[in-house]
C-alpha cells in the first residue's frame, strides 16, 4: 500500500517583531528560524515525503531580505517536497516573496486551487493560497480529487459550521470539507492544534509551532504521520520551543528580595520542571506580607532574569494588617482605615482597589510613597 | 472672622459696656473685679447661651434685663449683628441675627445656637479653643476637666504628621503617575499610546493603500501577460509570414532552377540534331524547303478556303426545292399556253382593278346625297316652325326661319357640284364581266393547274415565281461549283508539284516512297526545329528568371535554408493575417506593453518604497497591548491613590468635627515656638493625659509631672493648635490671662509666638484679657498690640 508521509505545520510567522517582549525580541526572532530548522529536521527524521506549510510562514508580505535568503537556503538543503499555501499574513500578493524564485523542492500554491502530482508516490497535493490579506470567498472550490491517487489538500482558512459566513479568512464550511473527497486536509490559521476525524477522514489545524506571546498558551508542535488512500494517521509532535506562561505565585511571608526570588523560582521549577528557565513568564505575585514589607520589584526582576529567560512581574501583594487594631485607633489614621474598610464591605467588587488604597494611605502616614516607575 | 463690637446692655456687673476690638491683637487690661471675665462670659453667652447656674451668676446687679449685642465681620466682609436678651431660662432668650450687609434677618434653625452657625463649632469646641479662660492653662481644679475635654478633641495616638503631610505624600505619588508635569507616567503612556494608535492608523492606511496598489498591480500583471502573449503571437505570426515569404521565395528559386534544368536537358537533347555537319545540312535543307513549305502551306490554306466556299455553296444547294425544280420541265413543255394565260390574266386583273375603283367612287357619291336630303328636311321643318311661331308667339322666330333659309341656300351652293345622283348598275356589271372572264381563264388553264397542284391563276402565279427563283439559284450553284472545281484542281496540281519538289529535295538526304511521307518527314523536321528554337527561347527566359530570383545567392545554401524554415514553421496564422495587419497590431501591442510595463515599474517601486509592513502593525498592536497593561497597572495604582486621598478627606472631615488628630503635630510646633525644642513630641495619651517627650529621650511625660507653667504652655499650645483646625474662616481667640502662670521669659516667648503666628496668618483676631501689668508692658515692648483697652474697677 502506498503511503505519503507528511509533516504538517503552519503559522510560523517568521519575521515577527516580538514587540511585547522587546528585551528578547531579537533572540526570539532568531529562534523562530531555529524552529523552522527543527521542523525540517523532523521531516528528515521520519523520512517524510513532504512538509506542508499551510499558511503564515512569514508574518508579513514584506520579508527582510536576509530572512528570506536564510529560509530559501535552508529549504534547499532538504530532499523532500515542501508545499506552501500563503495565508492571511503572507499572501502571494504581487510584491510577495512568493513571487520570487524558490528552491526546486519548494512548491507554492500562489492562487486558486491547484494540483501538484507526485506520480512516484501516487499522490496529488492540492492547495490554494491567499493573494490578499483577506479572503471572503471560500477557496475550497475546483477541488476534484483523482480517484486513483492519494489526495492531500492544504490551505489556510477558518472552519465554519454554516455554509455562509462573514469570515474574511477563507471560510471553509466544515460539512463541505468533510465531503470533499480528500484523504487528509492540512489547515492553517488557528494557533492551537486541533485534529478532527470524520469516520476515516482526518483534517485539522496543526497550531503554531512556536508561540509569540502570552496569549498563546499550551504545548506547541507539528502534526506528523502518513496519508494513505482512504485514511490518514497523524499525531501531534511537540517541539522543543520556548513556552509563554502566565503565572500567579503566592509570596506570603517573604520579606527579602532573596526570599521573593527563591519562592518564585521554586514554584516555577515545581510547575515546569528543570527546563523552567527556558520559558517566558508573566508572573503576578500575590499573598499577604508583613506590615511594611514592600517587594522591591526591580531587584526581584533583575535576580529572576539571571535564572529565567524572560519574566514580567506584577505586584498584587497585600500587607497583613490587624484591621481591628487600626480601626480602633482614634487618630486620623484610624478614621482613614475605618473609611476604607467600610468601602471594602459595601463594595466588595473593588476590594483589591480599596486594599491598595489602604496600603498607600498607611505608607503615606509612615513616610514618602515610592512608585515603581519601571513596571 | 472678627468681633468688631461687644455691646453689653446689661450683664452681671457690666452695664452699657462697649468694646470695639481691632483686627489684630487686642489687650484688655483691668484690675481684678473690673469685669474682664464678665465680658468673656458675655461673649460665650451671646454665642451659646447660658446654663441656669451661669444665668444666676451673671444676673444684672441692678436687676435689669440681661442682654446686649455682638457685631461680627466675616473674612469676606459681611457684617452680622447678633442681639440677645436673656430670659430666666434658656427658652426665654430672645435671639436675633441680622445680616447687615444684605440687610436681612438670618433665621436660625430651631434649637441651634448662633455660635454653631457663625463659628462652625459647638460650645465644647469653643470653650476649648477660642475661649481660653484662666483655668484653661492650669492643672488645678477645673483643669482636669479641661484636660479631659482636650483629650476627647485631640484624640490619642502616634500622629506626628499632619493630614496635609499625608495628603501631600499621596498627591506627590499620584502626581508621579498623573499630572500635567512632563515626567508623569500616565500622561507619558497616554501620549505613547496616542502616538502608537496614530502610527498604527497611518500604517493601516498605508497598508490599505498598498492593498489597492497590489490589486492594481495584479491587474497590470494580468494585462501585461495578455499583452505579452499577444505580442509574442504577433511576433511569431510576423516571423511566420516572413519565413513563409522567404520560403516561398526559395521554393520559387528552386522551381525556376528545376524548370531551367529541364529546359536545358530538352535543349541539349535537340541540340544534337541541329549541331555539326548534319545539323548544317539540316539547316540548309530546312532553309531551302522553308519557302516551298510556306508555299505548300499557302496553297493548302487556299485549298481549304475553296473547300470552305464549296461547302457553303453545297449547303445552299441542299436547300433548293428539288420538286419545284422538276416543274420547270412542265413549264418548258407548255410555254405558249402559260405565257398567254399570264398575259390574259394580267390584263383582266388590271381591268378588274379599274372597275372596282369606279364602283367604290359611285357608292361614295350615293351616300353623300342621302345626308343632304336629311339636312334639307330638317331646315324645312325649322322654317315652317319659325313661320308659325313668328305669327303666333313672337316676331323673333322669323329671324330663325330666315337663318334656316340662308343656311340651306349656302349649303346647296357649296355641295351642288359633287352631287351625282346616278345609279351603280354599270360599274357592277362591268366588274361582274371581268370576273367571269377570270373564271373562264381558270377553266382554260385547269389541265396545267393540275400539274402544278394549284386551282387558279393567282396560285399559279405564285407557284410559277417560286419555281423561277429555285431555278435561278440552282443555276448559280452549278456555275460556282464548276469554277471552284477548276480552282481546286489547279491548287492540287500546284501542291503536288511542290510536294514533288520537296520529295525530290528530301530524297537527297533521305529515301522516301511518297510525297506524303516526304511531306510528313519535312513537317516533322520543321516541328523539331520549331521546338528546338522554342526550347532555347524558354531556356533563356527561364535562365533570366532564375537569375532574377536567385539574386546572386548561393543556391545550395538556399535549399538548406528552405529545409530549416520548413521545420521552423509551426504556427498557424489565420489567412486574413497579412503582414501589414500583423505589424500594425504588433506596434499597438508593443506600445501598450511598454505603457503597462512602465506602470508596473512605477507601482512596484511605490510598493517597495511603502514605509510599513504588515508585521509593523502587529508589532504596534503588541506594543499597545504591553502599554495597555502598563497603563492598566498605573491606572489601578492611581485609582488606589485617589481612593486613599478620598478616604483621607472623608476621614479628616469626620475628624474635623471633633478637631481631629493634627492637634498633636500643631501643638508640638506651637510649643516649640513658645519654649524652643525642649520637647521632641507633644501628644495626648489614651490615659487622657497630655504628655510631652523631652528632646533626647524616648519617654513621654504627662502634664502631671510637669511644672504648672510648662503644663499651661502645653495646654495653650494644644488650644492654639486646635484653632487652625476649627474652620477655614479665621476665628477670634479670646484669652483671659492665659499666660499668668508663665514666668516672664516664657510669657514673652508666648506673646512673641502669638505675634509671629498672627504675622504668618495662622492666628486671626486675638483679644487678650489681663490684670497683670507685666503682661501689658511685655506686650507693649514686643510691639504686638494693635489695640489696648483699659477696664476700670469702678465699672
Amino acid at each position: 500500500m502506498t503511503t505519503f508521509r507528511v509533516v504538517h505545520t503552519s503559522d510560523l510567522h517568521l519575521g515577527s517583531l516580538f514587540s511585547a517582549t522587546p528585551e528578547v525580541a531579537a533572540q526570539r526572532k532568531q529562534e523562530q528560524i531555529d524552529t523552522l530548522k527543527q521542523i525540517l529536521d523532523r521531516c528528515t527524521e521520519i523520512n517524510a515525503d513532504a512538509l506542508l506549510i499551510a499558511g503564515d510562514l512569514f508574518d508579513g508580505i514584506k520579508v527582510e531580505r536576509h530572512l528570506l535568503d536564510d529560509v530559501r537556503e535552508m529549504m534547499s538543503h532538504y530532499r523532500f517536497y515542501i508545499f506552501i499555501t500563503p495565508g492571511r499574513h503572507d499572501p502571494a500578493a504581487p510584491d510577495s516573496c512568493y513571487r520570487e524564485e524558490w528552491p526546486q523542492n519548494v512548491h507554492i500554491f500562489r492562487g486558486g486551487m491547484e494540483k501538484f502530482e507526485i506520480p512516484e508516490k501516487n499522490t496529488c497535493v492540492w492547495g490554494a493560497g491567499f493573494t490578499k490579506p483577506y479572503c471572503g470567498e471560500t477557496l475550497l472550490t475546483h477541488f476534484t480529487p483523482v480517484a486513483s491517487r492519494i489526495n492531500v489538500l492544504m490551505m489556510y482558512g477558518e472552519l465554519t459550521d454554516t455554509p455562509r459566513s462573514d469570515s474574511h479568512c477563507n471560510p471553509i464550511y466544515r460539512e463541505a470539507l468533510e465531503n470533499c473527497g480528500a484523504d487528509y486536509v492540512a489547515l492553517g490559521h488557528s494557533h492551537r492544534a486541533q485534529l478532527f476525524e470524520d469516520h476515516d477522514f482526518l483534517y485539522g489545524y496543526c497550531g503554531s509551532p512556536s508561540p509569540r506571546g502570552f496569549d498563546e498558551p499550551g504545548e506547541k508542535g507539528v502534526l506528523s504521520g502518513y496519508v494513505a488512500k482512504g485514511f490518514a494517521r497523524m499525531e501531534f509532535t511537540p517541539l522543543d520551543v520556548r513556552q509563554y506562561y502566565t503565572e500567579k505565585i503566592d509570596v506570603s511571608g517573604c520579606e527579602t528580595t532573596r526570599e521573593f526570588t527563591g519562592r518564585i523560582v521554586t514554584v516555577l521549577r515545581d510547575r515546569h520542571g528543570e527546563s523552567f528557565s527556558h520559558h517566558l513568564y508573566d508572573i503576578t505575585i500575590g499573598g499577604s506580607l508583613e506590615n511594611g514589607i514592600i517587594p522591591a520589584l526591580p531587584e526581584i526582576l533583575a535576580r529572576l532574569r539571571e535564572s529565567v529567560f524572560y519574566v514580567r512581574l506584577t505586584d498584587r501583594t497585600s500587607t497583613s494588617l490587624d484591621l481591628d487594631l487600626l480601626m480602633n485607633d482614634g487618630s486620623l489614621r484610624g478614621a482613614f482605615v475605618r473609611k476604607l474598610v467600610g468601602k471594602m464591605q459595601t463594595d466588595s467588587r473593588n476590594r483589591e482597589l480599596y486594599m491598595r488604597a489602604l496600603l498607600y494611605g498607611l505608607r503615606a502616614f509612615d513616610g514618602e510613597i515610592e512608585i515603581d516607575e519601571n513596571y | 472672622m472678627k468681633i468688631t463690637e461687644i455691646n453689653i446692655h446689661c450683664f452681671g456687673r457690666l452695664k452699657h459696656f462697649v468694646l470695639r476690638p481691632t483686627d489684630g491683637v487686642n489687650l484688655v487690661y483691668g484690675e481684678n473685679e473690673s469685669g474682664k471675665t464678665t465680658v468673656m462670659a458675655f461673649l460665650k453667652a451671646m454665642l451659646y447661651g447660658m446654663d441656669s447656674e451661669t444665668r444666676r451668676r451673671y444676673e444684672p446687679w441692678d436687676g435689669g434685663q440681661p442682654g446686649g449685642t455682638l457685631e461680627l465681620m466675616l473674612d469676606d466682609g459681611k457684617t452680622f449683628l447678633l442681639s440677645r436678651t436673656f430670659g430666666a431660662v434658656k427658652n426665654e432668650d430672645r435671639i436675633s441675627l441680622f445680616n447687615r450687609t444684605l440687610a436681612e434677618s438670618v433665621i436660625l434653625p430651631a434649637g441651634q445656637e448662633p455660635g454653631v452657625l457663625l463659628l462652625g463649632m459647638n460650645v465644647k469646641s469653643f470653650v476649648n479653643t477660642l475661649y481660653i479662660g484662666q483655668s484653661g492653662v492650669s492643672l488645678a481644679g477645673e483643669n482636669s476637666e479641661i484636660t479631659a475635654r482636650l483629650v476627647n478633641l485631640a484624640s490619642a495616638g502616634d500622629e506626628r504628621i499632619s493630614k496635609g503631610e499625608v495628603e501631600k505624600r499621596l498627591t506627590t505619588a499620584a502626581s508621579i503617575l498623573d499630572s500635567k508635569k512632563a515626567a508623569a507616567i500616565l500622561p507619558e503612556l497616554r501620549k505613547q499610546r496616542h502616538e502608537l494608535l496614530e502610527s498604527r492608523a497611518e500604517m493601516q492606511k498605508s497598508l490599505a493603500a498598498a492593498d489597492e496598489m497590489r490589486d492594481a498591480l495584479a491587474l497590470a500583471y494580468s494585462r501585461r501577460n495578455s499583452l505579452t502573449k499577444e505580442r509574442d503571437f504577433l511576433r511569431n505570426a510576423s516571423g511566420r509570414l516572413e519565413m513563409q515569404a522567404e520560403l516561398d521565395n526559395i521554393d520559387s528559386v528552386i522551381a525556376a532552377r528545376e524548370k531551367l534544368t529541364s529546359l536545358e536537358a530538352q535543349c541539349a537533347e535537340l541540340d544534337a540534331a541541329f549541331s555539326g555537319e548534319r545539323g548544317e545540312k539540316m539547316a540548309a535543307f530546312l532553309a531551302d524547303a522553308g519557302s516551298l513549305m510556306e508555299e505548300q502551306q499557302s496553297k493548302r490554306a487556299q485549298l481549304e478556303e475553296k473547300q470552305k466556299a464549296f461547302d457553303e455553296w453545297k449547303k445552299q444547294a441542299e436547300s433548293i426545292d428539288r420538286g419545284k425544280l422538276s416543274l420547270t420541265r412542265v413549264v418548258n413543255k407548255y410555254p405558249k399556253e402559260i405565257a398567254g394565260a399570264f398575259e390574259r390574266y394580267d390584263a383582266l386583273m388590271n381591268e378588274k382593278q379599274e372597275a372596282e375603283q369606279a364602283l367604290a367612287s359611285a357608292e361614295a357619291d350615293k351616300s353623300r346625297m342621302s345626308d343632304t336630303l336629311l339636312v334639307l328636311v330638317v331646315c324645312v321643318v325649322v322654317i315652317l316652325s319659325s313661320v308659325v311661331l313668328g305669327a303666333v308667339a313672337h316676331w323673333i322666330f322669323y329671324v330663325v326661319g330666315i337663318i334656316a333659309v340662308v343656311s340651306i341656300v349656302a349649303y346647296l351652293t357649296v355641295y351642288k357640284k359633287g352631287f351625282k345622283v346616278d345609279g351603280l348598275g354599270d360599274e357592277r356589271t362591268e366588274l361582274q364581266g371581268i370576273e367571269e372572264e377570270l373564271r373562264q381563264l381558270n377553266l382554260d388553264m385547269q389541265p396545267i393547274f393540275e400539274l402544278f397542284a394549284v386551282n387558279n391563276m393567282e396560285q399559279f402565279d405564285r407557284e410559277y415565281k417560286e419555281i423561277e427563283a429555285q431555278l435561278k439559284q440552282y443555276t448559280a450553284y452549278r456555275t460556282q461549283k464548276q469554277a471552284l472545281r477548276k480552282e481546286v484542281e489547279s491548287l492540287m496540281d500546284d501542291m503536288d508539284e511542290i510536294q514533288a519538289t520537296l520529295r525530290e529535295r528530301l530524297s537527297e538526304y533521305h529515301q522516301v516512297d511518297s510525297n506524303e511521307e516526304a511531306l510528313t518527314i519535312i513537317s516533322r523536321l520543321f516541328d523539331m526545329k520549331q521546338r528546338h528554337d522554342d526550347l532555347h527561347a524558354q531556356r533563356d527566359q527561364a535562365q533570366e528568371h532564375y537569375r532574377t530570383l536567385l539574386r546572386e545567392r548561393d543556391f545550395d545554401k538556399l535549399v538548406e535554408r528552405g529545409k530549416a524554415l520548413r521545420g521552423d514553421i509551426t504556427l498557424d496564422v489565420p489567412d486574413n493575417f497579412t503582414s501589414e495587419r500583423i505589424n500594425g497590431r504588433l506596434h499597438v501591442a508593443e506600445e501598450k506593453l511598454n505603457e503597462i510595463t512602465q506602470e508596473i515599474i512605477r507601482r512596484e517601486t511605490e510598493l517597495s518604497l511603502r514605509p510599513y509592513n504588515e508585521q509593523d502593525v502587529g508589532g504596534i498592536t503588541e506594543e499597545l497591548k504591553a502599554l495597555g497593561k502598563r497603563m492598566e497597572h498605573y491606572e489601578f495604582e492611581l485609582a488606589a491613590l485617589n481612593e486613599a486621598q478620598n478616604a483621607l478627606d472623608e476621614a479628616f472631615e469626620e475628624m474635623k468635627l471633633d478637631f481631629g488628630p493634627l492637634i498633636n503635630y500643631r501643638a508640638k510646633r506651637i510649643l516649640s515656638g513658645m519654649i524652643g525644642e525642649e520637647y521632641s513630641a507633644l501628644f495626648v495619651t489614651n490615659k487622657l493625659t497630655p504628655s510631652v517627650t523631652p528632646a533626647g529621650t524616648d519617654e513621654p511625660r504627662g502634664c502631671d509631672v510637669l511644672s504648672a507653667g510648662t503644663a499651661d504652655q502645653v495646654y495653650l499650645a494644644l488650644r492654639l493648635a486646635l484653632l487652625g483646625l476649627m474652620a477655614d474662616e479665621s476665628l477670634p481667640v479670646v484669652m483671659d490671662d492665659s499666660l499668668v502662670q508663665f514666668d516672664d521669659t516664657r510669657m514673652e516667648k508666648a506673646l512673641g509666638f502669638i505675634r509671629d503666628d498672627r504675622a504668618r496668618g495662622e492666628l486671626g483676631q486675638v483679644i487678650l484679657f489681663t490684670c497683670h501689668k507685666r503682661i501689658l508692658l511685655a506686650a507693649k515692648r514686643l510691639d504686638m498690640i494693635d489695640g489696648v483697652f483699659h477696664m476700670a474697677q469702678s465699672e
Side-chain angles (χ1 to χ4, degrees), chain A residues 124-151:
Chain A
C124 292
V125 178
W126 298 76
F130 278 50
T131 55
K132 292 178 179 177
Y134 48 86
C135 178
E137 297 290 325
T138 184
L139 292 172
L140 184 58
T141 57
H142 304 97
F143 175 62
T144 50
V146 180
S148 58
R149 293 201 162 159
I150 298 167
N151 292 280

Side-chain angles (χ1 to χ4, degrees), chain A residues 62 95 282 360 364 372 375, chain B residues 214 613 629-630 634 637:
Chain A
K62 209 172 180 179
D95 56 333
D282 181 8
Y360 269 130
D372 173 19
Y375 175 79
Chain B
R214 287 191 186 101
N613 198 8
K629 190 156 186 177
R630 288 188 71 197
Y634 285 123
E637 301 296 304

Side-chain angles (χ1 to χ4, degrees), chain B residues 227 585-597:
Chain B
L227 281 170
R585 286 183 60 173
L586 182 60
H587 179 67
V588 172
E590 281 177 338
E591 274 192 350
K592 285 182 181 172
L593 194 58
N594 191 37
E595 283 172 16
I596 205 79
T597 303

Side-chain angles (χ1 to χ4, degrees), chain A residues 15-17 19-20 59-63 89 93-95 132-134 215 282 312 314 316 329-333 335-336 338-340 343 352-354 356-357 360-361 363-369 371-375, chain B residues 155-156 158-159 161 163 166 169-170 173 176-177 185 211 214-215 217-218 221 607-608 610 613-616 619-620 622-623 625-626 629-630 633-634 636-637 639-641 643-644 646-648 650-652 654-655 661:
Chain A
S16 187
L17 296 177
S19 306
D59 196 41
I61 295 172
K62 209 172 180 179
V63 180
H89 285 86
D95 56 333
K132 292 178 179 177
Y134 48 86
D215 53 351
D282 181 8
R312 197 157 72 190
T314 304
R316 286 287 179 269
D329 185 344
S331 67
L332 180 63
R333 178 195 294 261
F336 171 77
R338 284 194 297 276
K339 284 285 168 195
L340 282 168
K343 289 185 179 186
E352 194 178 358
L353 177 70
Y354 297 131
R356 193 74 179 163
Y360 269 130
R363 281 183 203 171
F365 276 107
D366 292 338
E368 296 296 333
I369 299 169
I371 297 290
D372 173 19
E373 296 181 33
N374 296 313
Y375 175 79
Chain B
S155 185
D158 58 355
E159 289 287 350
I161 58 166
K163 180 252 184 184
V166 176
R169 287 169 182 171
L170 288 169
I176 292 171
L177 295 175
I185 294 170
D211 282 342
R214 287 191 186 101
D215 288 345
L217 201 51
Y221 282 145
L607 208 50
S608 68
R610 72 194 167 89
N613 198 8
E614 287 72 17
Q615 53 265 58
D616 295 331
I620 281 197
E622 288 298 317
E623 280 185 54
K625 274 188 200 170
K629 190 156 186 177
R630 288 188 71 197
H633 168 76
Y634 285 123
F636 177 80
E637 301 296 304
L641 284 167
E643 277 302 327
N646 291 340
L648 186 67
E650 289 168 16
F652 184 68
E654 190 177 278
M655 291 295 289

Side-chain angles (χ1 to χ4, degrees), chain B residues 231-363:
Chain B
R231 184 202 58 186
D232 291 347
F233 171 77
L234 291 169
R235 274 184 180 169
N236 288 337
S238 177
R240 164 77 173 82
L241 286 185
E242 285 173 10
M243 284 160 66
Q244 188 60 52
E246 188 182 353
L247 187 61
D248 289 347
N249 177 267
I250 290 170
D251 284 346
S252 67
V253 172
I254 292 170
R257 168 74 172 246
E258 283 172 354
K259 187 178 178 185
L260 178 62
T261 306
S262 168
L263 287 169
E264 281 177 338
Q266 291 177 58
C267 284
E269 199 178 317
L270 287 174
D271 280 349
F274 292 94
S275 62
E277 188 181 347
R278 191 184 169 198
E280 287 175 5
K281 282 183 178 176
M282 174 78 81
F285 169 75
L286 289 175
D288 185 27
S291 59
L292 288 171
M293 284 301 285
E294 284 176 7
E295 191 177 350
Q296 166 75 6
Q297 289 298 329
S298 172
K299 296 293 182 190
R300 185 177 295 280
Q302 288 176 35
L303 189 62
E304 283 173 358
E305 279 181 17
K306 298 299 177 191
Q307 187 62 48
K308 279 183 185 172
F310 179 76
D311 290 344
E312 188 61 32
W313 278 108
K314 193 175 177 182
K315 204 173 174 181
Q316 288 181 13
E318 283 172 358
S319 66
I320 294 169
D321 187 347
R322 296 289 174 176
K324 291 198 179 348
L325 205 58
S326 64
L327 288 173
T328 53
R329 286 194 299 271
V330 179
V331 172
N332 292 333
K333 192 175 179 180
Y334 306 102
K336 287 180 183 174
E337 290 82 355
I338 292 170
F342 273 119
E343 188 179 346
R344 192 177 166 193
Y345 176 72
D346 290 341
L348 284 170
M349 285 307 288
N350 288 333
E351 288 173 10
K352 184 182 179 184
Q353 192 176 359
E354 287 172 2
E356 282 172 347
Q357 284 176 353
L359 181 61
S361 177
E363 283 174 347

